[in-house]
Structures are given as structure tokens and as C-alpha cells.
Amino acid sequence: MNPADQDACRAWQLLMKFFFAQRAHLPSSGARFDLSPIQCHVLHLLEPRRPLPMSRLADTLSCDASNVTGLVDRMESRGLVRRRSSPEDRRVKVLQLTATGARLRTQLLRQMTGGSLPLSRLSLDQQRTLVKILEALVDEK
Amino acid sequence: MNPADQDACRAWQLLMKFFFAQRAHLPSSGARFDLSPIQCHVLHLLEPRRPLPMSRLADTLSCDASNVTGLVDRMESRGLVRRRSSPEDRRVKVLQLTATGARLRTQLLRQMTGGSLPLSRLSLDQQRTLVKILEALVDEK
DNA sequence: CGGATATACTTGATATTGTCAACTATTTAT
DNA sequence: ATAAATAGTTGACAATATCAAGTATATCCG
């Protein structure tokens, strides 16, 4: 394996490690509100005044649509999100944060940036560089 | 929220997005061998001649020990890993790659670095910077 | 020494997350 | 107008996750 591949490989492994390591810190933030890691992520993705079609969420999570159905079922039954039929296309249902959901989201984001999490170990420069690289990596259209 | 927190928050979201986006690329690599994302990660973590105690794996994955039991059960039944009692401490069981497991791991790493994956969109410099930042983030002891 | 405590792993119960196949409703294409 | 594609749901089921309880081994300490 050449050196370039080794870097790619190592980066991959570290990204995975970070994802799993991150769960250890959820008890102090997400789980305090009884949110699973995925629910935290969905809550983060759902911006307060920007309704999101369920199919878009399935795309972002790279999972089956039926998975989103269940995920949203649970979040809706807890009063965090609401399904609304889209007027333009009556097949699609868009997700909206409820007031409760938006409040929880704010608290979650606050905790996310709170001092104890590993991200705060990075310098500002590093954080900004990381964001730039990840944006290239994720390539949101 | 101040600008520094916004960067941290955005980095967090991007890291999560990457993790989920990454699953979309597994069908072309991991799933070809019928490996789940977690199984891929474990296979990557298990280096050929470096046995790993199950408890260390549970630490790395930030999950309950019983979860690792099931995970290893499935991988062992497929002949990818082997449990061996540690001679020093008979409570611990260490995991070793089988020949099959090692072979699969090599193929997996090769595919990981193969052209089509998003990591290859980064320049060498970016890859190296990313590795450096992630190492600070994950902080392996 | 010996009992209490801690650690490593397993088992069983249960919830969540994930896939797939089949179905309904709606939209788009021909 | 019919056919094909898309959005979402449902049901069956497997994988992943947690917790509580149990077994076996190690360690601590009076």
C-alpha cells in the first residue's frame, strides 16, 4: 500500500473511531434527554423553520425509507416533530420541528459545544480547517 | 452562539453526516462481502498479529460488553475471528483474526482506498491534515 | 489466609435501528 | 389513457444496542 493510501485508510479509521467514541459522550448530553445518537443527529439536521421531506432525510441518512418511517414515528410520538403533507406533491410528507423539538434542539446544540466534549480540544484554526475538509468530503449539493 | 461554537457545531454535524453518507458506499465494498458497517470497522481495528481483548473493543466502540459478545459471535460463526483465553488473566478473551478474516481485511482496506470513495476527493495535504486533526480528536492513548 | 470487591464475559429480556418485499397513493412519462 | 416512477407505510425479520443478573477469575485488605 502506498503512502497516500495509508493516509486515506488511517483517516477512514479515525473517522469511524470518532463516531463510536462520540457515543460515550452522549450520556452527558443526548441521553440526558433520552435521545439516541440517530435521534440527536436528526434533531440537528432539522432546522427550525426549514421543513424537510422524509425522502430527503432517508437520502441524508443513506437508509431505507421505511427506516425513516419508524424513526419519525418515535420522534413524533414524543412530540418532537410533526408530519405535514406537502401541498405541491401530495405524495411527500415534510417534517417540521415542534416547539418542544426546537427547544430540545437548542439545548442539544448548546451541550454539543460545551466545554467537556472532545471537539473543544481543537484550536479555532483546527476547527475551521476540519470544517473545510469535511465540507469537501460530504459535498452537500 | 459565538463563532467558535458555530464551527464546533458545524464540525460535529459534518462528522455525523459523513458517517451516514459513508454507508451509501458500503454496498460497493463492505456489503459485497456481506459485512455491516460495524463489522467493517471491527475488521479494520483488528490488526493481523495484534490480538485484542474484548473489553478493549467494547471501550473503543463505547458500548456494553454484551454487545461485543453478540458482535463477535456473528463474526466468529463466519470464521473471521477467533476467541482465545488470555493466559495471563483467564477472565479475558482476546480476539484474533483468522486467515480468512485477515484476507477479507486486506481486500476491504484495498477497496476503502480505491478511487470511487469520497476520501479520494481530498488532496494529499488535506488527507494528512485531516489525519492529524482527527488524531488530536480521538486521542488514542 | 479468607472474605469483600472489582473485572471480564455471557445470557436473557427488550427496544431501536436497519433491510427487504409488498402495498397504496400520487405524479410523470409516453 | 395507460405505463412507469416516486413517496410513504406496513409487516417480517436480522443486527445492533441497553440493562440486569449470573459465572468465573483477580485483586484488595483486614
Side-chain angles (χ1 to χ4, degrees), chain A residues 53-65:
Chain A
M54 294 183 63
S55 49
R56 291 264 303 121
L57 186 53
D59 280 351
T60 304
L61 300 181
S62 311
C63 73
D64 196 84

Side-chain angles (χ1 to χ4, degrees), chain A residues 17 23 61 137 140, chain B residues 17 23 61 121 137 140:
Chain A
K17 275 198 184 179
R23 298 194 296 190
L61 300 181
L137 206 50
E140 308 169 295
Chain B
K17 276 198 183 180
R23 298 192 297 189
L61 300 181
R121 280 211 301 266
L137 208 48
E140 308 168 296

Side-chain angles (χ1 to χ4, degrees), chain B:
Chain B
M1 197 187 303
N2 69 49
D5 285 350
Q6 253 182 4
D7 276 338
C9 219
R10 179 112 181 89
W12 185 280
Q13 192 181 50
L14 285 167
L15 282 160
M16 291 304 114
K17 276 198 183 180
F18 174 80
F19 178 80
F20 286 101
Q22 166 266 139
R23 298 192 297 189
H25 303 292
L26 274 181
S28 59
S29 47
R32 171 176 304 176
F33 311 118
D34 220 42
L35 292 173
S36 71
I38 295 117
Q39 287 173 339
C40 284
H41 185 48
V42 170
L43 211 56
H44 195 166
L45 288 172
L46 260 183
E47 293 169 36
R49 326 233 357 120
R50 300 194 53 188
L52 186 72
M54 294 183 63
S55 48
R56 291 263 303 120
L57 186 53
D59 280 350
T60 304
L61 300 181
S62 311
C63 72
D64 195 85
S66 63
N67 195 6
V68 173
T69 296
L71 190 55
V72 171
D73 280 350
R74 285 182 290 273
M75 293 182 75
E76 194 173 31
S77 76
R78 290 189 42 191
L80 303 180
V81 301
R82 208 182 359 247
R83 280 171 167 97
R84 291 208 35 189
S85 276
S86 162
E88 301 123 28
D89 185 336
R90 313 232 319 280
R91 291 171 301 180
V92 342
K93 297 189 181 161
V94 296
L95 302 177
Q96 280 185 324
L97 281 180
T98 61
T100 308
R103 216 175 311 122
L104 198 54
R105 181 177 189 271
T106 305
Q107 293 182 291
L108 190 64
L109 295 201
R110 186 160 16 221
Q111 293 223 352
M112 237 170 227
T113 59
S116 68
L117 288 168
L119 270 172
S120 59
R121 280 211 301 266
L122 298 181
S123 71
L124 279 190
D125 254 15
Q126 282 179 313
Q127 288 189 9
R128 214 157 299 153
T129 307
L130 180 60
V131 167
K132 225 172 281 172
I133 293 178
L134 287 173
E135 276 170 346
L137 208 48
V138 171
D139 185 27
E140 308 168 296
K141 283 158 292 280

Side-chain angles (χ1 to χ4, degrees), chain A residues 109-123:
Chain A
L109 293 201
R110 186 160 17 221
Q111 293 222 351
M112 238 171 227
T113 60
S116 69
L117 288 168
L119 269 172
S120 59
R121 279 210 302 267
L122 298 180
S123 72

